[in-house]
Amino acid sequence: MGTVTIGVSIAVPEPHGSQLQERRAGFGDPAAHGIPTHVTLLPPTEVEDGALPSIEAHLEEVAASARPFGMRLSGTGTFRPLSPVVFVQVVEGAEACSGLQKRVRDASGPVPRELQFPYHPHVTVAHGITEEAMDRAYEELSEYEAAWPCTGFALYEQGADGIWRKLREFPFGGPAVPAQGPDRSKRGRQHAR
């Protein structure tokens, strides 16, 4: 039996995903086209390939107990000088991402994983490139905005060629988060009486 390198993440949907991937490539990041644009829930983790069925069952349980939530990206941030990364910030949905990643990595599950740094949901747009290029990424995307309803996450595997490929999606099973504000449908029914 061999090992595989897996990751779990929330994909940034189109057209935002491709736009950010192209920008990342434009900043000179050689990994840009091998990594789908995402918010990490489980960083690259080496596992026995025979463990994949139990990992998938675990992820099904995590997703089934979750419910859709709003995700919004806005502006940039950086982990420099600690880590050579520039990212787009998750300004809505961060708390939900944090809860999901804890459950994915839970010590009682099949992929318990300690993190090198405290969890901070983000979308990487530059990693390990020149300081000048990272400065450019930070500046050029400083007013970037995107929003979408997050309805699930996916399991990815890194190939021998370094490219990350989606193995399976895990849609959330809970009901959608209700819209904020007054419930117009109830008010309409009351007036109809």
Side-chain angles (χ1 to χ4, degrees), residues 83-102:
S83 181
V85 172
V86 171
F87 56 85
V88 173
Q89 298 187 70
V90 175
V91 296
E92 182 182 335
E95 192 175 316
C97 290
S98 186
L100 284 170
Q101 66 86 28
K102 279 181 192 163

Side-chain angles (χ1 to χ4, degrees), residues 155-179:
L155 173 65
Y156 292 81
E157 180 181 337
Q158 187 177 36
D161 56 4
I163 294 174
W164 287 90
R165 294 176 179 85
K166 188 188 317 177
L167 294 180
R168 185 171 162 202
E169 291 185 8
F170 297 87
F172 295 150
V177 176

Side-chain angles (χ1 to χ4, degrees), residues 44-164:
T45 303
E46 194 172 299
V47 299
E48 294 292 327
D49 56 8
L52 283 175
S54 65
I55 291 168
E56 288 188 26
H58 171 64
L59 295 176
E60 278 177 11
E61 285 179 24
V62 172
S65 64
R67 61 185 194 173
F69 57 91
M71 287 279 285
R72 189 164 68 87
L73 308 178
S74 181
T76 50
T78 184
F79 294 132
R80 296 183 290 173
L82 202 55
S83 181
V85 172
V86 171
F87 56 85
V88 173
Q89 298 187 70
V90 175
V91 296
E92 182 182 335
E95 192 175 316
C97 290
S98 186
L100 284 170
Q101 66 86 28
K102 279 181 192 163
R103 293 180 23 233
V104 167
R105 300 184 301 104
D106 190 82
S108 67
V111 280
R113 169 78 197 263
E114 291 298 318
L115 298 179
Q116 186 178 0
F117 301 106
Y119 183 73
H120 180 86
H122 64 279
V123 176
T124 298
V125 291
H127 180 241
I129 57 178
T130 67
E131 287 295 319
E132 295 78 17
M134 287 205 285
D135 289 344
R136 211 180 77 192
Y138 187 87
E139 289 302 319
E140 289 183 16
L141 292 171
S142 65
E143 294 184 20
Y144 184 82
E145 296 276 341
W148 70 93
C150 179
T151 58
F153 56 77
L155 173 65
Y156 292 81
E157 180 181 337
Q158 187 177 36
D161 56 4
I163 294 174
W164 287 90

